Amino acid sequence: MNERETPRTSSGVTPLFAVVLAALPGAVFGGHLGLLLFFLNPEVPFTAGRLLTATLAGAAACAGFTAALGWLFRHRRWRRLLPWGLTVALALAAGLYSTHASHYAFYLPARINDQLLRTAAWLSLATLICFYTALLHSLGRRPYGWRSRAAFWLLTAGSFFAAFDRRSSYLPLAVEAMPVPIERGAPRPHLVVVGIDTLSLDAVLPLAEEGGLPFLSAALETGAYGPLRSLRPPRHRASWTTVATGQFPHRHGILGAPSSWSPWFGRATELRLLPAGLAFQRWGLIGARTEPESPARHLKGLPLPELLARLGVTTGSVGWPASSPRDAPLLWQVSDRFFSTVEAGDSAAVPGTAPGAEEVVPRDLAARARLFAVNPEELDHRWTASAGTPPSEPLLAALRADQWRVGLTTALAREAPPRALFLHLPGLERLSRAFFEDYAEGRLESPPSARAEAAARELGAHHRYLAAVLEELWLATPEPRLFVIVSASGPEVPGFVEHLWRRAFGGPPLGGAVGKTPDGAVFLLGDAIRPGTLLTGARTVDVVPTLLYGLGLPVARDLDGRVWTEAFRPDFLAAHPLAFVPTYRGLDPRSAP
């Protein structure tokens, strides 16, 4: 071969041209990946500059990957494979839009989900046409004429136009919040809401049958209870904010994910939801600035504690996830970030103040709240004696976390009794992470293994502690009362096939499941609650509408849930017909008495 001749592949093209051909399908898929970010973050302005930057950034990243493949395998007939590559790219892009419409169904506005599905439908049609065209040419070994080539490029360009058009047609609804007059007549019941992470009927019912949870056993007979359907995917702060607001995450604003500002997509573009299943945060956000989610900045919904405080109901809150002292006149409030700040030993955000002072109301409560932190030697040994000797570190950590919050709440409620009390206990989640899998597998074994028995003792010890705390709170609540125990989601439970796999081969099968959301649990107790009622189809968004009705307040029509009317006595239903107001968002906190 002449030295001046350019090396060619077996298809007669230069290696550089082969790399370019191999990069084109990756560029098509990457461009749609960049466009997907605008669907997942509908609040980002849909401007030409942002659009071009995101599309080119995604195209460049994915094109580089397929170009590398083209360089490694440059002996292939890339010219003949290009139509198939474009077909696969369109098929993957269609799957990208459709799967994210399902995956983020609770986190995106309904119209955005519709637009994602319609975009996926158009791309699926383009994929079928491309597949049929490529198949006919491959089977007949026919060369591609200008019509076939034009069809491929028009369908590829049209796929981008379909995505552009669908996203640009979305306009967020601008709803003006108007004040709602509320009649403040008869006294409301005393409300107590206790949130317990990963509380599940899978553990409560067996332990209650064994007689180890007398209070919860009585609650099953005298109150209403049932599994609580959570969000998918389950995100801790988003799920608990849904419990507190009665709205889905795309409406209350807490998505349970940090905010990112990437130089690839513009420093002014805040990305909150990212493509799932692609490890996008590792390679797509190189050099990005990331900040934790801020309830003060992102929370758009009105949580029930703040709503009641604006209505003049004296309200106290301790440890509720994604809570943040704003302008609501709560009697006292200690956010979940206060406890995480103190546990992490961070310095004060404001010089000259105690750590976490900006997360409590009143501000001078921060230093005193730290004094209620529990050391291991201060734990009540009644709850550790039955777990084993010595008790496990996860159990000690769980008890310390919960006793800190319970002790602080008890002291505050004794000094300034609220009419409505909200308390969140995170200890069980830490314990479930360590032991619930062994406990669940032990229920399928006969006889259970030593690990399963040890896990049952650990979980049983903490459940008995929680039952005792709940009973003390119930007895300390004056009548009339409405007592609620709620868990936004339950712990992961291995399925039967997964259990057999682990028994046969050991270890997790393939590293987890996608979209698997265990149910939480809910218990309702009070004078108006119908005894022994099993709630079916209950969802996290139903909690706030039900509590508003139980308190004798109108239900806002902008809530996403329904009232569990089946949980109330017939005489209460007859005396308290359902009433509605458009919204509560217009309430001025300064007008509360």
Side-chain angles (χ1 to χ4, degrees):
M1 182 176 66
N2 193 307
E3 292 182 359
R4 295 183 179 181
E5 292 182 2
T6 304
R8 295 180 179 271
T9 64
S10 58
S11 60
V13 300
T14 63
L16 178 60
F17 190 44
V19 171
V20 173
L21 293 178
L24 288 176
V28 171
F29 175 76
H32 281 288
L33 184 63
L35 275 172
L36 178 64
L37 288 171
F38 286 93
F39 285 93
L40 300 183
N41 299 273
E43 294 184 352
V44 173
F46 199 64
T47 61
R50 285 188 174 93
L51 178 65
L52 182 63
T53 302
T55 306
L56 292 180
C62 295
F65 175 75
T66 55
L69 294 179
W71 178 260
L72 292 175
F73 302 99
R74 54 186 180 272
H75 63 282
R76 301 292 181 91
R77 297 180 177 272
W78 290 112
R79 191 190 297 272
R80 298 288 301 180
L81 290 178
L82 179 60
W84 287 107
L86 293 176
T87 302
V88 172
L90 291 176
L92 292 176
L96 194 71
Y97 290 115
S98 61
T99 55
H100 281 80
S102 173
H103 186 72
Y104 287 126
F106 295 117
Y107 293 81
L108 293 173
R111 287 192 60 199
I112 284 290
N113 276 286
D114 292 342
Q115 302 293 48
L116 281 170
L117 292 175
R118 291 175 182 175
T119 304
W122 279 107
L123 265 66
S124 298
L125 178 61
T127 300
L128 288 176
I129 297 174
C130 290
F131 175 79
Y132 182 72
T133 304
L135 184 63
L136 288 179
H137 285 78
S138 296
L139 292 178
R141 296 185 178 275
R142 295 162 47 193
Y144 286 87
W146 69 269
R147 295 177 180 174
S148 299
R149 297 179 184 180
F152 269 98
W153 295 120
L154 286 176
L155 289 171
T156 301
S159 70
F160 285 99
F161 175 77
F164 295 155
D165 182 61
R166 292 297 173 189
R167 175 56 181 86
S168 61
S169 64
Y170 169 77
L171 291 176
L173 295 176
V175 180
E176 183 180 359
M178 300 297 294
V180 178
I182 300 297
E183 182 180 351
R184 296 172 178 138
R188 317 291 179 191
H190 290 85
L191 174 67
V192 175
V193 181
V194 182
I196 302 177
D197 272 331
T198 68
L199 183 70
S200 171
L201 295 178
D202 292 330
V204 170
L205 293 180
L207 292 171
E209 290 177 359
E210 296 171 2
L213 308 176
F215 177 75
L216 291 178
S217 298
L220 296 172
E221 298 178 0
T222 61
Y225 70 96
L228 194 64
R229 191 184 311 163
S230 186
L231 304 180
R232 188 182 67 181
R235 292 184 170 182
H236 183 263
R237 293 166 70 85
S239 297
W240 281 109
T241 308
T242 296
V243 171
T245 60
Q247 295 177 326
F248 288 121
H250 70 86
R251 299 187 64 190
H252 63 60
I254 299 298
L255 305 181
S259 298
S260 301
W261 290 266
S262 172
W264 290 68
F265 304 102
R267 289 292 186 183
T269 303
E270 181 182 10
L271 302 177
R272 303 191 60 204
L273 284 182
L274 301 177
L278 301 173
F280 184 82
Q281 63 275 15
R282 296 183 180 179
W283 58 269
L285 296 179
I286 298 176
R289 175 173 60 91
T290 302
E291 292 182 1
E293 190 172 43
S294 170
R297 187 162 61 93
H298 293 120
L299 182 59
K300 297 180 294 185
L302 189 60
L304 187 58
E306 187 173 331
L307 166 60
L308 295 178
R310 293 188 181 199
L311 292 175
V313 179
T314 54
T315 305
S317 175
V318 171
W320 202 268
S323 62
S324 180
R326 299 198 289 180
D327 54 358
L330 267 69
L331 190 61
W332 36 263
Q333 180 179 13
V334 184
S335 75
D336 64 322
R337 292 170 62 90
F338 168 81
F339 296 99
S340 60
T341 298
V342 174
E343 289 174 346
D346 294 341
S347 59
V350 180
T353 63
E358 67 279 3
E359 298 295 339
V360 300
V361 171
R363 291 295 181 91
D364 57 1
L365 180 59
R368 183 186 173 199
R370 291 171 56 91
L371 300 177
F372 286 86
V374 179
N375 297 320
E377 58 273 10
E378 297 174 338
L379 292 174
D380 192 335
H381 294 288
R382 289 181 299 167
W383 316 117
T384 58
S386 60
T389 305
S392 68
E393 186 59 34
L395 176 60
L396 295 177
L399 289 172
R400 289 176 59 192
D402 286 352
Q403 287 193 23
W404 182 5
R405 290 157 176 81
V406 171
L408 176 60
T409 303
T410 302
L412 293 176
R414 188 181 298 116
E415 295 178 3
R419 191 84 188 184
L421 171 63
F422 293 81
L423 170 64
H424 177 264
L425 301 177
L428 184 59
E429 190 272 337
R430 306 178 185 184
L431 200 64
S432 297
R433 206 183 310 150
F435 295 108
F436 195 86
E437 184 176 320
D438 291 332
Y439 168 77
E441 289 185 356
R443 294 176 59 193
L444 301 177
E445 298 175 344
S446 183
S449 64
R451 290 181 58 185
E453 291 180 344
R457 289 194 299 269
E458 299 283 345
L459 289 172
H462 198 71
H463 276 81
R464 283 189 288 274
Y465 164 74
L466 292 174
V469 168
L470 294 171
E471 184 174 13
E472 292 176 1
L473 290 173
W474 166 259
L475 295 176
T477 305
E479 296 183 351
R481 53 194 168 184
L482 179 57
F483 196 88
V484 184
I485 308 164
V486 61
S487 175
S489 62
E492 290 282 355
V493 182
F496 180 72
V497 175
E498 185 177 348
H499 173 74
L500 291 181
W501 181 286
R502 295 184 181 185
R503 290 282 292 174
F505 304 103
L510 294 174
V514 176
K516 183 178 179 182
T517 307
D519 288 336
V522 63
F523 295 82
L524 297 177
L525 295 168
D527 307 285
I529 302 301
R530 179 183 298 180
T533 302
L534 176 62
L535 301 174
T536 57
R539 304 174 301 167
T540 52
V541 290
D542 299 335
V543 174
V544 168
T546 302
L547 296 187
L548 287 174
Y549 175 72
L551 294 174
L553 294 169
V555 178
R557 293 190 181 277
D558 62 350
L559 301 180
D560 295 317
R562 69 175 184 91
V563 177
W564 298 324
T565 53
E566 64 273 22
F568 294 90
R569 293 178 180 272
D571 56 339
F572 184 86
L573 293 172
H576 300 81
L578 279 169
F580 297 92
V581 293
T583 183
Y584 280 111
R585 290 184 301 160
L587 291 175
D588 187 350
R590 292 168 295 183
S591 65

